[in-house]
Amino acid sequence: MAGKPKLHYTKGRGKMESIRWLLAAAGVEFEEEFIETKEDLEKLRNDGVLMFQQVPMVEIDGMKMVQTRAILSYIAAKYNLYGKDLKERAWIDMYVEGTTDLMGMIMYLPFQPADTKEKNLALIIERATNRYFPVYEKALKAHGHDYLVGNKLSWADIHLLEAILMAEECKPDILSAFPLLQAFKGRTSNIPTIKKFLQPGSQRKPPTDEKFIAVVRKIFNI
């Protein structure tokens, strides 16, 4: 029997958080080996286990996988969260790319200079409410199903819930104009594996704070 996937990353959200979400939602237990110093990262690079000298890196099924998108799509396919055919997969990909764009904006916000943060926060809220969330609200309304694709939980739903919770950290009432997304959030948050991941003490990471930013800057020379 294969061992648990092992995740190599810093002790924060970053690009690994969506991977943690997907594994947790699939009910897969995983281990984490944290990169806490520049030396930890250099060791991985010198050991030749990082294809492009970058993390995240996930050890799974005998592979040392890099590139966030590749890791996520592998996990989604392995655990039957990637649709039943090519068309469903294409829809899942489109929805995931949208939430990835939104989450990217939120993820980088804490690293931005103080004088631009307010402007960028306003842009995140504007994009979430006018560009991204209306798409998912419309999709749920159009087909009347509980989930975005094929009336079955998929990677797209898990990613959307993660994006919603991140957006709510920016503006708690950001879903006020989206009743179907509010209901979607309630449903998906109560799926047992996801509910467990949302409990205190899980491997979900907290929002990025100044202390973590300082660690990241030191490790990655930024």
Side-chain angles (χ1 to χ4, degrees), residues 121-132:
L121 176 60
L123 181 63
I124 287 166
I125 292 163
E126 189 275 326
R127 288 276 168 86
T129 52
N130 294 321
R131 179 178 293 187
Y132 295 110

Side-chain angles (χ1 to χ4, degrees), residues 168-208:
E168 286 183 333
E169 288 170 356
C170 296
K171 187 174 189 283
D173 66 346
I174 201 161
L175 288 188
S176 59
F178 304 102
L180 297 181
L181 283 182
Q182 290 174 41
F184 169 88
K185 176 193 159 190
R187 277 195 306 275
T188 47
S189 296
N190 277 300
I191 292 167
T193 52
I194 294 175
K195 190 173 184 177
K196 185 180 174 187
F197 188 61
L198 292 172
Q199 299 301 311
S202 80
Q203 287 165 292
R204 186 182 180 215
K205 301 298 178 271
T208 299

Side-chain angles (χ1 to χ4, degrees), residues 27-90:
V28 180
E29 290 184 9
F30 57 88
E31 296 172 353
E32 299 190 81
E33 195 157 302
F34 295 116
I35 297 164
E36 299 187 83
T37 63
K38 197 190 291 189
E39 290 71 32
D40 291 341
L41 180 62
E42 282 308 311
K43 185 181 186 308
L44 284 174
R45 285 173 173 164
N46 294 335
D47 288 349
V49 296
L50 302 178
M51 189 185 283
F52 299 110
Q53 308 290 306
Q54 295 169 308
V55 288
M57 188 268 278
V58 174
E59 295 184 61
I60 185 169
D61 295 342
M63 296 183 288
K64 289 180 170 62
M65 290 196 74
V66 295
Q67 295 293 6
T68 311
R69 172 82 204 194
I71 297 165
L72 285 164
S73 55
Y74 180 83
I75 293 165
K78 179 178 170 74
Y79 295 105
N80 199 23
L81 294 164
Y82 210 176
K84 69 178 189 300
D85 54 31
L86 272 176
K87 271 193 175 177
E88 285 197 356
R89 188 165 287 200

Side-chain angles (χ1 to χ4, degrees), residues 119-165:
K119 192 176 97 176
N120 287 312
L121 176 60
L123 181 63
I124 287 166
I125 292 163
E126 189 275 326
R127 288 276 168 86
T129 52
N130 294 321
R131 179 178 293 187
Y132 295 110
F133 289 163
V135 170
Y136 304 105
E137 183 82 3
K138 185 180 174 185
L140 292 167
K141 188 176 183 180
H143 59 48
H145 293 157
D146 285 350
Y147 302 110
L148 288 170
V149 180
N151 201 23
K152 181 179 182 292
L153 181 71
S154 75
W155 174 20
D157 302 300
I158 297 157
H159 220 240
L160 175 56
L161 178 60
E162 183 187 0
I164 285 170
L165 296 180

